């Protein structure tokens, strides 16, 4: 499969491409391949200050304004670890079901690049703050689980800006705390990888770890991908792809790279370990450096920082702060309230709406009705009014009261819409609205019988049709009765009485 | 003469208003102008800034500020060119920093100023503190005030020579493998390498971060205790500085050694030890015994490995610490076709031979495939060396030895042979590897020419009180510290 086809119009595009005949026997044409993918995701931590100094961790400032001798790597400076960054790292560990080792340390990763203030990056090499976790998420209707090798803390570097005749380095970003989250090679395709990234960043946003704003460079992702014959348990040559600046970029890069590798392997080519660069405009990956050119980072323990040994109390405090994860929440909403998956998803993705729902539905016998009001009516009203859940004037309990009024036959669903509109407008309680505006449903048989007589008298044709066996005519008559009652008549009762009178 | 006083004598006179801080500084600057052409200790000094500080000190004195409040009030103290002094040049005696000016004060500089000191001058050193003679300075070699055909020791050679030549009352240097104690010994003054973690390294340009400590050069032990008192103590800007209170060192200067056990090291009877140095140190040990100490032989079985261990760990750390001097920032850029070429050209032109040698060595020992055999093993041996000392300190309160195996050698005598040069740190290196404290005090002179000899006293981790007590009692029972160099 996926063999390159150079016939027809494609041939012209590839005029200068000459491929040597395969030297290795081609695998059987029906051979199926699978991709093996692991991601290294870099996430900027949401701290007030940078990792080693008091400079602001802020995006969008004028170049080199959030800097000091420490993050500029001036001679003589020393790093002091940001306690909040250490806390967020361990919190991430808990969010990703990681082990939290009782001994972690920082190391220096040595390489030269103009955006690096010290020409080494302080990172965690062999003793990271968290290890051996997992992320669970829904993929293609099933529960997927990707193992997390580690999430370790390091510092971000500066940013090179290139002008017509010179380049400049902006060190505002240098020293911003950065978490590198490394997954095991558990992903099998572009969509799988994309969904994992979404799930991972949802968790991190939910945990208050990072805002994960990709446009502000808060999330960056490198991909490791190889292909192998399906069913094989050996890994192919690992190819790293860099320079994707969006989640869809990651997906597109994999959509390009996996067929590229499969074609090559199917041709009998032997792929070699290398790093490739994703060109977002051209939509292709191209070679960047081979294994032979790989950096020797010469890691060694950072002598300016003490090893990090978390105490029981500190860990317990962080554990207590672990929030409910999106998937957990969705599953809980489904089991605790009997909601369908779709509703639970909406109330998970929109957390304020979800909280409002939970307050209204807690201990209530008909949570599905509450969910309908929240998801359909409340959400619509809010978006019409450009308002947020915090602006809602009525109390969550009012929604419960409204549902009770409908369920108890006090008002019809149609009237309930009117009541809800007024609740949203004024914040008044539904019972009071019904009372004040006389909206209570009429279940008084006498009153309805009188209305039924009037309707039958006024509509002799449909009445005759019904008697002649045209059942649908009853609905018309019922509609007329409701109209006459201004919607207040109990519709079930109205139908019953009409039918009785017509048959009499 | 004013400039020849100790700090305690000077502060006494200042407190009694017998002289002014301005007079004290003037005496240093005048003498500097006279003799520094021969000693070449100072790379530069900002006389106007120093005078302004002296005048401020005089205002404090006039306002009745006491030595208890500001123990170094009005005392001119000079800095090794490796310590950041805001608004002053910082070169580390290297060409690579170009016209760099420190944008901030090192913690020690802040603390010296808070104690009232008049902080001035940039003192010559071996480039990036790598060397034992100042011959590795990119600018010039500092000369020994006792004999200007000889080196003053290193790397803090300018620190030792400036105090021995009375160009300042004290100086502040750094010691990574002996860089304070060895030049103090060779120039006939007192020099202290405090316990690792006692003095903040913030603002000290790092050579080997796990070995570097800042310490004073003074004319006697009491002055060193006074300065260390002012600069020691926890600093939240240095994660390796220890959060524990600093004891009152002056109280430790009792002059009494009764009840103390002092160790001499079995393994320090080495071949290259000069007979006159050996004799002077043996006499000093006798003197300690006379003063009431019990002398005990101790063993440091891994001493033989100290130099090898040091020359793996120190260059490894240096290779990373010096990587920031890349020509992208700082001034001495040599252009290239791309940043990598710019970097290597700048470093090729900007660093001297010894720095390059150590950066290459350090890069090699950290390389993939060699790390375990070199760096990791050296760290393990380092632990053994530290354990040797901790075990020895279960038997004794302090250990004494020669500071350096020879007195000051001639300029050029060892500069062609790095291994010979490395041996001049043989007695001082293990103190840094073990993270303990050490001091060098004058203990005699060679006959002809007359060159100072130093006695090293090593103390337990944070055992500065006992270290000072031993050094002070010995010093006060001899006259060596009263001798002044011909250029003083």
């Amino acid at each position: 499969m996926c063999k390159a086809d150079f016939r027809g119009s494609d041939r012209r595009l590839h005029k200068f491409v000459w491929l040597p005949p395969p030297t290795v026997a081609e695998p059987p044409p029906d051979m199926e391949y699978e991709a093996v993918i692991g991601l290294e995701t870099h996430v900027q931590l949401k701290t007030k200050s940078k990792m080693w100094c008091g400079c602001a961790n802020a995006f969008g400032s004028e170049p080199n304004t959030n800097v000091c001798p420490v993050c500029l790597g001036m001679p003589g400076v020393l790093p002091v670890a940001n306690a909040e960054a250490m806390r967020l790292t361990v919190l991430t560990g808990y969010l990703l079901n990681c082990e939290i080792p009782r001994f972690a340390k920082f190391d220096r990763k040595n390489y030269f690049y103009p955006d690096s203030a010290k020409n080494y990056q302080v990172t965690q090499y062999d003793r990271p703050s968290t290890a051996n976790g997992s992320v669970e998420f829904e993929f293609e209707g099933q529960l997927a689980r990707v193992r997390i090798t580690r999430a370790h803390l390091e510092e971000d570097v500066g940013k090179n800006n290139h002008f017509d005749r010179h380049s400049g380095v902006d060190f505002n970003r240098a020293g911003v705390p950065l978490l590198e989250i490394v997954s095991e090679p558990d992903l099998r395709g572009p969509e799988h990888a994309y969904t994992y990234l979404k799930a991972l960043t949802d968790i991190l946003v939910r945990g208050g770890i990072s805002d994960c704003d990709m446009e502000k460079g808060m999330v960056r992702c490198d991909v490791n991908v190889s292909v192998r014959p399906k069913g094989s348990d050996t890994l192919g040559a690992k190819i790293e792809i860099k320079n994707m600046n969006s989640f869809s970029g990651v997906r597109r890069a994999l959509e390009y790279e996996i067929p590229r590798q499969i074609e090559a392997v199917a041709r009998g080519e032997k792929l070699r370990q290398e790093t490739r660069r994703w060109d977002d405009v051209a939509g292709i990956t191209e070679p960047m450096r081979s294994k032979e050119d790989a950096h020797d980072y010469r890691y060694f323990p950072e002598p300016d920082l003490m090893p990090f040994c978390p105490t029981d109390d500190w860990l317990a405090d962080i554990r207590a702060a672990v929030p409910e994860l999106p998937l957990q929440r969705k599953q809980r909403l489904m089991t605790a309230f009997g909601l369908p998956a779709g509703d639970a998803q909406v109330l998970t993705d929109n957390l304020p709406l979800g909280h409002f729902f939970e307050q209204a539905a807690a201990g209530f016998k008909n949570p599905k009705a509450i969910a309908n009001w929240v998801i359909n009516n409340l959400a619509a009203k809010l978006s019409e009014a450009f308002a947020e859940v915090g602006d809602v004037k009525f109390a969550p309990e009012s929604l419960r009261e409204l549902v009770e009024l409908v369920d108890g036959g006090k008002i019809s669903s149609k009237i309930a819409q009117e009541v809800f509109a007024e609740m949203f407008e004024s914040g008044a309680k539904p019972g009071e609205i019904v009372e004040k505006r006389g909206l209570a449903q009429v279940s008084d048989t006498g009153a309805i019988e009188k209305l039924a007589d009037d309707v039958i008298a006024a509509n002799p044709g449909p009445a005759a049709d019904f008697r002649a066996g045209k059942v649908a005519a009853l609905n018309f008559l019922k509609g007329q009765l409701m109209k006459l009652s201004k919607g207040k008549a109990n519709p079930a009762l109205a139908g019953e009485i009409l039918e009785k009178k017509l048959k009499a | 003469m004013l400039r020849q006083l100790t700090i305690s004598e000077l502060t006494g006179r200042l407190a009694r208003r017998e002289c002014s801080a301005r007079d004290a500084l003037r005496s240093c600057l005048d003498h500097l102008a006279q003799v520094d052409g021969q000693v070449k200790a100072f790379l530069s000094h900002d006389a106007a800034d120093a005078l302004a500080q002296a005048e401020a000190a005089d205002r404090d004195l006039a306002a009745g500020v006491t030595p208890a409040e500001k123990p170094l009030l009005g005392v001119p103290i000079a800095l090794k060119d490796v310590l950041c002094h805001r608004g002053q040049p910082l070169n580390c005696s290297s060409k690579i920093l170009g016209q760099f000016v420190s944008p901030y004060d090192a913690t020690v500089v802040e603390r010296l100023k808070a104690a009232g000191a008049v902080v001035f001058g940039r003192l010559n050193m071996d480039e990036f503190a790598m060397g034992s003679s100042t011959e590795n300075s990119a600018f010039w070699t500092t000369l020994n005030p006792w004999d200007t055909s000889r080196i003053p020791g290193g790397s803090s050679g300018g620190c030792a020579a400036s105090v021995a030549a009375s160009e300042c009352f004290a100086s502040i240097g750094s010691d990574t493998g002996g860089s304070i104690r060895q030049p103090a010994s060779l120039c006939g003054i007192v020099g202290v390498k405090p316990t690792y973690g006692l003095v903040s390294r913030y603002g000290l340009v790092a050579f080997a971060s796990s070995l570097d400590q800042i310490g004073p050069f003074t004319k006697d032990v009491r002055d060193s205790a006074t300065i260390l008192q002012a600069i020691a103590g926890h600093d939240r800007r240095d994660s390796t500085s220890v959060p524990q209170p600093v004891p009152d060192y002056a109280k430790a200067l009792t002059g009494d050694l009764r009840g103390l056990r002092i160790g001499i090291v079995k393994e320090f009877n080495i071949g290259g030890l000069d007979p006159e140095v050996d004799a002077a140190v043996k006499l000093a040990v006798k003197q300690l015994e006379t003063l009431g100490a019990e002398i005990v032989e101790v063993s440091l079985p891994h001493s033989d490995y100290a130099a090898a261990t040091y020359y793996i760990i120190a260059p490894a750390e240096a290779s990373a610490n010096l990587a920031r001097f890349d020509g992208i920032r700082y001034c001495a850029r040599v252009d290239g076709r791309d940043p990598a070429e710019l970097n290597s050209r700048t470093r090729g032109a900007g660093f001297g031979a010894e720095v390059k040698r150590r950066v290459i060595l350090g890069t090699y020992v950290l390389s993939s495939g060699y790390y375990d055999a070199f760096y990791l093993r050296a760290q393990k041996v380092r632990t053994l060396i530290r354990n040797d000392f901790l075990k020895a300190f279960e038997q004794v309160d302090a250990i004494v030895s020669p500071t350096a195996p020879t007195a000051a050698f001639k300029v050029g005598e060892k500069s062609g042979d790095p291994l010979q040069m490395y041996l001049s740190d043989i007695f001082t290196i293990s103190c840094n590897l073990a993270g303990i404290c050490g001091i060098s005090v004058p203990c005699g002179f060679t006959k002809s020419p007359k060159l100072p000899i130093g006695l090293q006293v090593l103390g337990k981790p944070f055992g500065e009180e006992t270290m000072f007590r031993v050094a002070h009692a010995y010093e006060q029972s001899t006259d060596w510290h009263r001798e002044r160099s011909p250029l003083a």
Side-chain angles (χ1 to χ4, degrees):
Chain A
M1 62 178 279
C2 291
K3 262 183 72 182
D5 184 1
F6 290 131
R7 287 166 304 176
S9 60
D10 266 350
R11 192 172 196 115
R12 261 165 287 137
L13 289 172
H14 295 269
K15 205 166 153 188
F16 302 107
V17 176
W18 178 81
L19 288 169
T23 49
V24 182
E26 259 190 73
D30 57 347
M31 169 91 80
E32 279 208 58
Y33 292 91
E34 69 171 356
V36 178
I37 304 162
L39 298 188
E40 291 169 19
T41 313
H42 288 87
V43 177
Q44 284 185 347
L45 293 182
K46 193 175 170 178
T47 54
K48 285 203 180 74
S49 57
K50 291 190 184 181
M51 189 60 222
W52 316 117
C53 60
C55 289
N57 172 8
F59 176 84
S61 309
E62 284 293 301
N64 294 313
T65 51
N66 297 327
V67 293
C68 73
V70 174
C71 55
L72 288 172
M74 291 273 181
V77 298
L78 296 170
V80 177
N82 180 328
E84 176 64 2
M86 305 300 286
R87 194 187 73 83
L88 290 177
T89 300
V90 169
L91 179 57
T92 302
Y94 284 134
L95 290 168
L96 304 183
N97 307 303
C98 289
E99 294 160 16
I100 312 296
R102 291 311 179 97
F103 178 96
K105 67 176 175 66
F106 288 100
D107 301 273
R108 292 185 183 177
K109 177 182 181 180
N110 294 287
Y111 65 96
F112 164 72
Y113 202 68
D115 64 7
S116 168
K118 306 183 290 288
N119 288 322
Y120 60 81
Q121 182 190 29
V122 181
T123 180
Q124 296 184 308
Y125 179 53
D126 56 351
R127 306 297 294 269
S129 281
T130 78
N132 303 329
S134 63
V135 174
E136 289 187 337
F137 56 97
E138 289 174 320
F139 178 62
E140 291 177 343
Q142 296 205 317
L143 195 64
R145 184 169 172 275
V146 169
R147 289 169 299 155
I148 298 295
T149 316
R150 56 196 279 166
H152 69 253
L153 186 53
E154 57 189 33
E155 57 180 333
D156 211 340
V157 292
K159 203 169 172 5
N160 290 341
N161 294 316
H162 303 291
F163 307 99
D164 278 355
R165 318 224 23 192
H166 71 285
S167 296
V169 190
D170 176 6
F171 286 102
N172 282 347
R173 200 178 70 178
V176 164
L178 200 61
L179 208 56
E180 179 171 338
I181 302 167
V182 183
S183 86
E184 290 287 305
D186 289 349
L187 296 157
R188 292 291 174 267
E191 196 59 37
H192 199 196
Y194 179 85
T195 313
Y196 157 77
L197 269 177
K198 285 286 292 170
L200 176 65
T201 48
D202 279 354
I203 290 171
L204 298 177
V205 170
R206 184 60 54 92
I209 305 298
S210 172
D211 287 336
C212 291
D213 189 336
M214 210 136 180
E215 283 182 3
K216 292 179 180 171
M218 289 176 187
V219 187
R220 278 157 272 157
C221 194
D222 297 336
V223 169
N224 291 307
V225 55
S226 62
V227 297
R228 64 182 177 193
K230 218 166 193 166
S232 162
D233 56 2
T234 52
L235 291 168
K238 186 177 85 173
I239 291 174
E240 183 176 9
I241 316 173
K242 288 181 174 291
N243 198 40
M244 284 78 68
N245 44 28
S246 65
F247 291 171
S248 53
V250 170
R251 181 164 54 190
R252 286 174 59 220
L254 283 167
E255 280 165 356
Y256 172 84
E257 179 66 15
I258 294 168
R260 187 193 73 81
Q261 288 188 22
I262 290 173
E263 279 171 35
V265 171
R267 269 199 306 273
E269 226 176 89
K270 194 158 171 56
L271 291 172
R272 300 201 310 164
Q273 186 178 329
E274 64 170 343
T275 301
R276 300 176 70 86
R277 187 199 318 271
W278 167 245
D279 181 333
D280 201 65
V281 178
I284 58 166
T285 66
E286 50 199 3
M288 201 167 144
R289 57 172 181 256
S290 69
K291 190 188 177 187
E292 288 70 36
D293 312 323
H295 285 297
D296 179 355
Y297 289 119
R298 307 191 307 279
Y299 288 98
F300 73 101
E302 164 60 278
D304 287 333
L305 292 163
M306 304 303 279
F308 184 66
C309 305
T311 63
D312 289 343
D313 288 352
W314 189 74
L315 289 176
D317 283 353
I318 296 174
R319 214 182 222 313
V322 174
E324 187 178 40
L325 294 186
L327 185 61
Q328 279 174 358
R329 176 172 177 77
K330 181 180 173 185
Q331 287 169 343
R332 182 175 60 80
L333 291 176
M334 288 170 72
T335 51
F337 295 102
L339 296 184
D343 287 3
Q345 190 66 52
V346 173
L347 297 174
T348 297
D349 293 343
N350 187 335
L351 203 56
L353 212 56
H355 285 322
F356 195 91
F357 161 78
E358 284 195 67
Q359 279 173 277
F364 188 59
K365 58 182 184 297
N366 188 1
K368 172 62 183 148
I370 303 275
N372 291 345
W373 281 109
V374 169
I375 292 170
N376 303 325
N377 308 69
L378 182 58
K381 285 275 182 203
L382 286 172
S383 87
E384 268 170 37
F386 299 104
E388 287 172 19
V389 174
D391 305 326
V392 173
K393 288 180 181 156
F394 62 85
E397 293 73 33
S398 292
L399 215 48
R400 189 150 63 193
E401 196 186 328
L402 182 65
V403 173
E404 275 171 340
L405 289 174
V406 177
D407 289 353
K410 272 273 170 62
I411 58 173
S412 68
S413 328
K414 194 155 177 270
I415 292 294
Q417 297 287 346
E418 260 179 67
V419 176
F420 180 81
E422 183 162 344
M423 279 162 65
F424 187 82
E425 211 55 49
S426 68
K429 289 187 174 166
E432 289 167 8
I433 297 169
V434 169
E435 182 103 350
K436 201 175 81 192
R437 292 181 42 188
L439 294 174
Q441 187 161 274
V442 177
S443 297
D444 172 2
T445 321
I448 294 175
E449 276 182 0
K450 165 95 180 51
L451 289 169
D453 290 339
D454 292 352
V455 166
I456 291 167
N459 299 283
D465 288 349
F466 179 80
R467 289 191 185 104
K470 203 173 168 190
V471 182
L474 182 66
N475 280 341
F476 172 80
L477 294 169
K478 194 169 139 189
Q480 293 302 307
L481 191 151
M482 291 306 291
K483 204 171 162 186
L484 207 59
S485 76
K486 297 197 179 82
K488 289 191 289 185
N490 181 329
L493 209 53
E496 244 172 65
I497 290 171
L498 272 172
E499 198 176 344
K500 199 176 74 193
K501 284 193 182 285
L502 287 166
K503 281 183 179 167
Chain B
M1 254 169 306
L2 201 51
R3 67 171 187 270
Q4 293 189 342
L5 301 180
T6 62
I7 291 175
S8 47
E9 289 165 346
L10 173 66
T11 51
R13 287 205 195 179
L14 288 168
R16 294 190 298 272
R17 315 298 305 278
E18 290 166 16
C19 69
S20 67
R22 200 187 155 86
D23 295 338
L25 179 66
R26 208 60 271 172
S27 74
C28 290
L29 294 180
D30 288 350
H31 193 60
L32 192 158
Q34 277 207 321
V35 302
D36 207 54
Q38 297 167 70
V39 181
K40 303 204 280 191
F42 282 83
L43 294 173
S44 67
H45 67 280
D46 184 343
D49 179 66
L51 278 166
Q53 292 178 58
E55 278 160 14
D58 280 330
R59 285 195 294 277
D60 273 359
L61 285 162
V65 175
T66 64
E69 293 164 273
K70 290 189 173 180
L72 296 171
L73 190 55
V75 179
I77 296 178
L79 300 175
K80 185 179 182 179
D81 190 27
V82 74
L83 290 161
C84 295
H85 188 185
R86 189 187 177 121
Q88 299 296 332
L90 175 75
N91 291 93
C92 304
S93 285
S94 177
K95 283 189 283 186
I96 203 140
L97 276 136
Q99 305 296 310
F100 187 76
V101 170
S102 294
Y104 70 100
D105 274 338
T107 298
V108 283
V109 173
E110 277 183 2
R111 291 187 178 178
L112 288 170
K113 285 184 172 175
V118 173
V119 182
F120 80 108
R122 308 299 305 167
L123 291 166
N124 195 27
M125 56 188 275
D126 286 294
E127 184 178 8
F128 285 104
M130 298 175 184
S132 306
S133 68
T134 72
E135 288 165 296
N136 296 331
S137 166
F139 302 111
W140 52 73
T141 299
T142 295
L143 301 168
N144 195 313
W146 291 89
D147 177 348
T148 52
S149 71
R150 292 172 189 271
I151 56 88
S155 67
S156 314
C159 289
S162 64
V163 174
S166 300
E167 294 171 302
C168 51
F169 284 82
S171 61
I172 308 294
S174 64
D175 188 317
T176 307
S179 284
I180 290 175
R181 290 157 291 156
Q182 184 256 17
S185 166
L186 269 46
C187 289
I189 58 168
V190 175
V192 179
K193 197 297 276 189
T195 303
Y196 188 80
L198 182 66
V199 179
S200 168
R201 293 182 295 116
Y202 187 77
L204 166 71
V205 180
F207 159 19
S209 312
S210 74
L211 300 162
D212 296 341
Q213 264 293 287
I214 296 170
F217 289 85
T218 58
K219 293 166 191 164
D220 68 10
V221 174
R222 182 174 295 277
D223 285 1
S224 274
T226 306
I227 292 183
L228 189 60
Q229 194 79 52
I231 63 176
H234 181 241
D235 175 16
R236 50 177 302 278
R237 287 173 296 191
D238 176 359
S239 305
T240 64
S241 92
V242 176
Q244 66 183 37
V246 180
D248 186 347
Y249 297 130
K251 274 200 183 136
L253 309 180
T254 58
D256 185 4
L257 294 187
R258 279 173 301 174
L260 280 190
R261 292 160 68 90
I262 293 176
I264 51 170
V265 182
K266 197 170 103 187
E267 290 81 3
F268 279 4
N269 287 316
I270 58 153
L273 184 59
D274 180 275
E276 282 184 285
V277 171
D278 192 28
V281 170
K282 284 196 167 117
L283 265 178
V285 172
K286 275 261 176 324
Q287 181 66 15
L288 293 169
E289 208 167 7
T290 311
L291 291 166
E294 184 189 342
I295 306 298
V296 180
E297 189 181 72
V298 294
S299 176
L300 301 172
H302 297 92
S303 295
D304 274 0
Y305 304 104
T309 304
Y310 177 87
Y311 280 101
I312 288 171
I313 293 173
E317 292 180 7
S319 72
N321 284 329
L322 269 54
R324 73 194 66 197
F325 303 108
D326 57 7
I328 303 292
R329 287 146 314 141
Y330 316 110
C331 310
R333 175 183 299 175
V334 183
D335 237 316
R337 281 167 305 184
D338 54 41
E341 191 180 75
L342 180 154
N343 179 35
S344 59
R345 281 186 177 173
T346 299
R347 292 165 69 81
F351 286 141
E354 183 62 26
V355 172
K356 284 180 198 164
R357 185 178 296 127
R358 297 203 197 183
V359 166
I360 291 167
L361 190 60
T363 304
Y364 177 78
V365 299
L366 290 174
S367 300
S368 161
Y370 298 97
Y371 179 87
D372 289 0
F374 292 111
Y375 189 78
L376 195 63
R377 179 157 299 199
Q379 288 292 13
K380 288 177 180 168
V381 177
R382 181 178 183 175
T383 304
L384 295 175
I385 289 170
R386 180 172 167 86
N387 290 344
D388 279 357
F389 274 100
L390 296 183
K391 216 172 142 201
F393 281 125
E394 288 173 8
Q395 294 170 261
V396 295
D397 301 292
I399 291 171
V400 294
S401 77
T403 305
T406 65
F409 44 90
K410 291 262 188 190
V411 173
E413 192 180 326
K414 294 184 182 177
S415 54
D417 185 349
L419 287 179
Q420 269 302 308
M421 190 70 89
Y422 294 175
L423 283 179
S424 53
D425 290 336
I426 195 74
F427 296 122
T428 47
I429 273 180
S430 49
C431 167
N432 300 74
L433 290 168
I436 60 173
C437 58
I439 187 171
S440 181
V441 279
C443 73
F445 289 88
T446 57
K447 278 209 174 62
S448 183
K450 184 182 181 183
L451 298 169
I453 297 168
L455 174 74
Q456 176 174 240
V457 181
L458 298 172
K460 297 175 189 180
F462 302 101
E464 275 79 4
E465 287 169 284
T466 307
M467 174 195 82
F468 277 135
R469 181 176 160 197
V470 173
H472 173 257
Y474 171 76
E475 173 196 81
Q476 292 303 309
S477 72
T478 64
D479 281 328
W480 308 120
H481 67 288
R482 284 187 237 283
E483 300 258 1
R484 293 286 178 265
S485 77
L487 293 174

